[in-house]
Amino acid sequence: MRFIDEAVVTVKAGDGGNGIASFRREKYVPRGGPDGGDGGKGGDIYVIAEDNTNTLVDYRYTRRHDAMRAENGHSRNCSGKGSDDLFLPVPIGTTVVDTETDEVLGDLIELGQTLLVAKGGDGGLGNTHFKSSTNQAPRKSTSGFEGELKVLKFELKVVADVGLIGLPNAGKSTFIRQVSAARPKVADYPFTTLVPNLGVVDIGRHRSFVMADIPGLIEGASEGAGLGIRFLKHVARTRRLLHVVDVKPIDGSDPVANARVILNELERFSPELSNLPQILILNKIDQVPDEELDELCTHIVAELDWTGDVFRTSTLMGEGTDAVKYHLMNEIELERERELEDPIFAEAQRTRFERLEVEVRLNTEAQREAYRAARKAAREGVDLSDDDADFDDDDEDGVEVIYVP
């Protein structure tokens, strides 16, 4: 299925109906007086979070959404019928931004959550409202008000408790296949995963959390290289990061240098993001002889100066993955309980994630603008560096590239 995580749409709420100037006409009732009704209210436009979609692909092709205009007023003091509200379904985890003001209108992170994005116009007044002792036959009525017109940007970020990060082919997709029902593509070449994959890790009765497999990062990702910032932003909503490191890369590269690449890219893209709690996963231990394994793992941890939790796994064989998922479940449950019991901690968490959202959004836009400036320079004959060629975008209006797995 095509995956699109950003879309720009234009929404127009319904206009209000006009009020009318009308007079009562009844047999044996002379000078019946004004009886013009008010116009109806125009339809509002809401965005609603639904779980039957995980992409913004529908808004890639339909970019204009209008609510219906309300009816005009009627005689006999009857108001016009208001138009129905329009609901735009989006995946859970969508942020709605007003492109004109850059204001974040809201985050839709719960199933069924709705957000009013454009208010319909009120109906006009009929001439009944203008009667008085000195003006018993008013011929004045007012037109309905126009509904709001806005250009909105939908930004989808996966909603997960844990995000898997690491270089391509580090074993992230195999890991999520081992601990959940998710079935991302697995192969022996880089960039097998082209879109984020979500999996529910079920620990037992009423105990579970959501894990996201984020497409592989490479050096220069914070500046757009490879898949670049396209999916780096998806780790912004996670509570924990699982940093998966291949202890014996098939290309003979240094696992310590590989781990530092990811750490550096996180820091460059978002210092707030790099401060999220991380767990180091030393993966593919089945590729290392037993007599060398302890020395190698100790060397990697020491060189990275790692002070957090460390686990050794073989995702292909399923070795060590249970210990990781139980540890994660315990950590997440403790954090959730503390948020419920400690309002100060809960507020600090909320503030941190809001700050992270803002930082990620600003950095993403800055990188996108830099890319467009570079492309403009290329059209004008200015030489570009090789790094600029790593960018990939298909629209100037902010709609994301479509990746087809």
Side-chain angles (χ1 to χ4, degrees):
M1 182 179 184
R2 290 177 175 179
F3 181 86
I4 292 180
D5 59 1
E6 287 191 3
V8 176
V9 298
T10 301
V11 296
K12 173 67 168 64
D15 296 336
N18 299 329
I20 68 165
S22 174
F23 295 90
R24 186 178 178 188
R25 293 290 184 267
E26 247 182 279
K27 192 176 183 180
Y28 308 121
V29 184
R31 302 183 182 88
D35 68 350
D38 300 338
K41 181 184 177 300
D44 298 330
I45 297 183
Y46 293 85
V47 178
I48 181 170
E50 295 187 353
D51 60 355
N52 58 358
T53 179
N54 58 4
T55 176
L56 297 170
V57 65
D58 291 341
Y59 301 105
R60 174 66 171 80
Y61 302 105
T62 306
R63 303 188 183 186
R64 172 86 184 206
H65 300 270
D66 293 2
M68 296 294 292
R69 180 184 184 277
E71 289 184 355
N72 295 333
H74 303 283
S75 59
R76 299 185 180 181
N77 292 315
C78 292
S79 297
K81 180 182 178 181
S83 59
D84 294 332
D85 296 332
L86 178 62
F87 290 84
L88 304 179
V90 295
I92 298 173
T94 300
T95 300
V96 182
V97 181
D98 188 331
T99 60
E100 183 177 354
T101 63
D102 286 332
E103 177 188 2
V104 177
L105 302 182
D107 281 328
L108 303 173
I109 58 176
E110 297 179 0
L111 178 62
Q113 183 179 352
T114 59
L115 174 68
L116 175 64
V117 294
K119 187 174 177 57
D122 292 327
L125 301 178
N127 64 339
T128 304
H129 290 274
F130 300 99
K131 66 181 178 181
S132 67
S133 59
T134 58
N135 185 9
Q136 297 182 5
R139 287 171 170 77
K140 178 182 179 181
S141 61
T142 60
S143 301
F145 293 88
E146 290 188 356
E148 291 182 323
L149 174 67
K150 291 184 179 180
V151 179
L152 305 176
K153 184 176 184 180
F154 295 159
E155 299 176 348
L156 172 61
K157 298 185 184 71
V158 297
V159 180
D161 299 295
V162 178
L164 288 169
I165 59 174
L167 288 178
N169 249 25
K172 301 183 299 298
S173 296
T174 308
F175 187 95
I176 199 172
R177 287 171 68 98
Q178 284 286 354
V179 300
S180 75
R183 290 295 176 265
K185 183 178 179 180
V186 174
D188 59 353
Y189 54 84
F191 293 107
T192 310
T193 303
L194 296 179
V195 299
N197 291 290
L198 291 179
V200 177
V201 181
D202 191 1
I203 302 298
R205 187 177 178 84
H206 305 304
R207 299 184 72 202
S208 64
F209 62 89
V210 180
M211 181 177 290
D213 173 20
I214 307 300
L217 308 177
I218 63 174
E219 188 171 6
S222 61
E223 299 175 356
L227 296 181
I229 56 176
R230 196 77 66 218
F231 299 119
L232 189 55
K233 62 189 175 186
H234 285 283
V235 298
R237 295 185 188 273
T238 58
R239 294 174 179 267
R240 296 287 188 278
L241 296 178
L242 282 190
H243 187 171
V244 183
V245 177
D246 184 352
V247 297
K248 198 72 171 179
I250 194 172
D251 60 358
S253 58
D254 182 9
V256 175
N258 293 343
R260 285 174 176 162
V261 165
I262 300 299
L263 296 175
N264 290 338
E265 292 306 318
L266 287 178
E267 175 68 28
R268 293 174 64 183
F269 179 72
S270 168
E272 191 70 35
L273 185 61
S274 66
N275 289 330
L276 283 176
Q278 292 189 39
I279 298 173
L280 184 64
I281 305 297
L282 301 179
N283 192 33
K284 301 186 181 181
I285 59 174
D286 56 303
Q287 303 296 316
V288 182
D290 292 340
E291 61 272 15
E292 301 177 11
L293 182 59
D294 285 341
E295 182 180 354
L296 176 60
C297 292
T298 302
H299 169 74
I300 294 174
V301 173
E303 287 295 312
L304 291 175
D305 195 22
W306 194 271
T307 57
D309 296 314
V310 181
F311 289 87
R312 303 178 186 181
T313 65
S314 170
T315 53
L316 182 63
M317 308 301 295
E319 182 181 347
T321 56
D322 284 346
V324 177
K325 69 180 187 180
Y326 281 106
H327 174 78
L328 287 170
M329 186 75 262
N330 292 334
E331 290 289 312
I332 292 171
E333 285 180 337
L334 288 174
E335 191 169 290
R336 290 172 179 170
E337 290 174 2
R338 186 178 176 188
E339 288 175 354
L340 293 175
E341 297 172 357
D342 188 347
I344 297 178
F345 177 74
E347 179 63 20
Q349 287 283 84
R350 186 187 65 80
T351 302
R352 184 185 71 170
F353 280 110
E354 286 182 353
R355 190 167 59 243
L356 181 57
E357 286 280 344
V358 172
E359 188 175 84
V360 167
R361 180 176 296 108
L362 291 177
N363 290 347
T364 301
E365 289 301 321
Q367 292 297 337
R368 189 170 286 126
E369 288 301 319
Y371 162 67
R372 288 172 179 152
R375 208 163 67 166
K376 180 180 178 181
R379 288 195 298 267
E380 295 174 352
V382 179
D383 290 336
L384 297 176
S385 65
D386 291 338
D387 289 340
D388 293 319
D390 289 328
F391 271 94
D392 187 17
D393 201 357
D394 69 342
D395 286 296
E396 292 291 341
D397 57 7
V399 177
E400 280 289 4
V401 177
I402 300 174
Y403 292 99
V404 184

